[in-house]
Amino acid sequence: MDTSPTALFDSYEQDFNQIIQSVRGRVDGDAQGEQAEQRKAALRRVEMELDEADEMVSQMEIEIQGIPQSIRPSYAGRIKTAKAELQRYKKLSKDLHAQYSRADLLGSAARPGMGDALSDDPYGTSTDRTRLLAGTAILEDGTRRLQDSQRIALETEEQGTDILRSLRVQREQIQNARDTLQRADTSIDRATGTLKKMIRRMYQQRVVTGAIIAVLIILILIILWAKLWR
């Protein structure tokens, strides 16, 4: 497992690029199809993927805080590029929505017999049923997106709780280490004082020993003098 400080950032960036590649394929493919339902389904999927890409960018912004300052500017530039790419496809999706909405509106106005009040069908014409089904699909899609957003929010909250818990543990460890260092410093001061006392006593003992030796030598000389000259 890669434990480098840029591993998660690179992973989120890779996911972002894969999502953008999928969006590009849908915009150039299904979103340009001739069938209106196919286009709407493709654009709904594009919106969901753009939301996922937005979440990846947010995660990249979080992870860049843990990257060393020496290499952080290059990663900040990559985030800026990702944001620009995301905004470009968001604008393109919005423009396609507006374009197809106008086309559907003009197409509906051009169809004869729309909204015939004398129809026996309780849901109206087939076009009305299609719109009802499309509205239901949009509501279901919106519900799924809300559930996904709620899930992401809960996951983010759990990650934040874990981070705070880790920070609290690290703070306690730092506090304990500081207390240990203070106790060690106190012990070193005491040991230093004890060594100084021992050194002073050693010098005192040397002086006393030297004095005793000198006295003994003097006594020996006196005794020798007394015996030799008397």
Side-chain angles (χ1 to χ4, degrees):
M1 180 177 179
D2 190 354
T3 57
S4 64
T6 63
L8 284 177
F9 183 97
D10 294 336
S11 176
Y12 288 129
E13 185 180 34
Q14 183 178 3
D15 292 341
F16 172 83
N17 291 332
Q18 290 177 353
I19 293 172
I20 289 298
Q21 185 176 1
S22 176
V23 169
R24 185 183 300 113
R26 293 183 188 279
V27 169
D28 296 337
D30 295 341
Q32 302 293 339
E34 296 181 357
Q35 297 182 1
E37 291 303 320
Q38 180 184 4
R39 295 198 302 265
K40 291 178 180 179
L43 289 178
R44 286 196 298 270
R45 184 59 188 171
V46 165
E47 287 182 354
M48 294 177 63
E49 291 180 336
L50 288 176
D51 288 340
E52 294 177 5
D54 199 355
E55 177 65 21
M56 292 299 102
V57 172
S58 298
Q59 293 296 331
M60 290 162 64
E61 290 179 332
I62 294 174
E63 292 303 324
I64 198 175
Q65 302 302 321
I67 294 177
Q69 291 286 350
S70 59
I71 60 174
R72 187 179 296 180
S74 63
Y75 284 85
R78 288 157 67 173
I79 290 180
K80 184 177 181 181
T81 301
K83 284 184 176 181
E85 190 79 358
L86 179 61
Q87 291 301 321
R88 184 169 74 88
Y89 278 101
K90 281 185 176 181
K91 184 178 183 302
L92 180 59
S93 174
K94 183 178 180 180
D95 292 343
L96 289 175
H97 265 296
Q99 175 184 345
Y100 293 146
S101 295
R102 287 195 300 269
D104 290 341
L105 181 61
L106 293 175
S108 299
R111 296 192 189 110
M114 290 295 294
D116 189 356
L118 299 177
S119 173
D120 294 333
D121 192 341
Y123 295 102
T125 64
S126 60
T127 303
D128 292 333
R129 288 197 299 273
T130 301
R131 290 180 177 177
L132 180 61
L133 292 174
T136 302
I138 292 174
L139 288 176
E140 292 177 351
D141 187 30
T143 302
R144 285 194 299 271
R145 292 174 61 185
L146 287 175
Q147 291 175 348
D148 291 339
S149 298
Q150 184 180 10
R151 175 179 56 79
I152 293 172
L154 291 174
E155 291 177 353
T156 304
E157 183 179 359
E158 291 177 357
Q159 292 178 356
T161 302
D162 292 338
I163 291 173
L164 289 176
R165 187 181 300 109
S166 298
L167 290 176
R168 184 168 59 252
V169 171
Q170 292 176 4
R171 184 181 63 184
E172 292 175 355
Q173 291 176 347
I174 292 172
Q175 183 68 33
N176 292 334
R178 186 176 63 181
D179 293 341
T180 302
L181 288 175
Q182 289 177 348
R183 289 194 296 269
D185 188 38
T186 302
S187 299
I188 291 172
D189 289 340
R190 292 176 180 174
T192 301
T194 302
L195 288 174
K196 288 180 179 179
K197 290 179 180 179
M198 293 175 65
I199 291 172
R200 283 197 300 269
R201 289 178 181 176
M202 180 184 68
Y203 285 133
Q204 290 174 356
Q205 290 176 355
R206 287 184 178 180
V207 171
V208 172
T209 302
I212 292 172
I213 292 172
V215 170
L216 290 174
I217 292 173
I218 292 171
L219 289 175
I220 291 171
L221 291 175
I222 292 172
I223 292 170
L224 290 174
W225 180 81
K227 288 185 175 182
L228 294 175
W229 297 100
R230 287 185 182 181

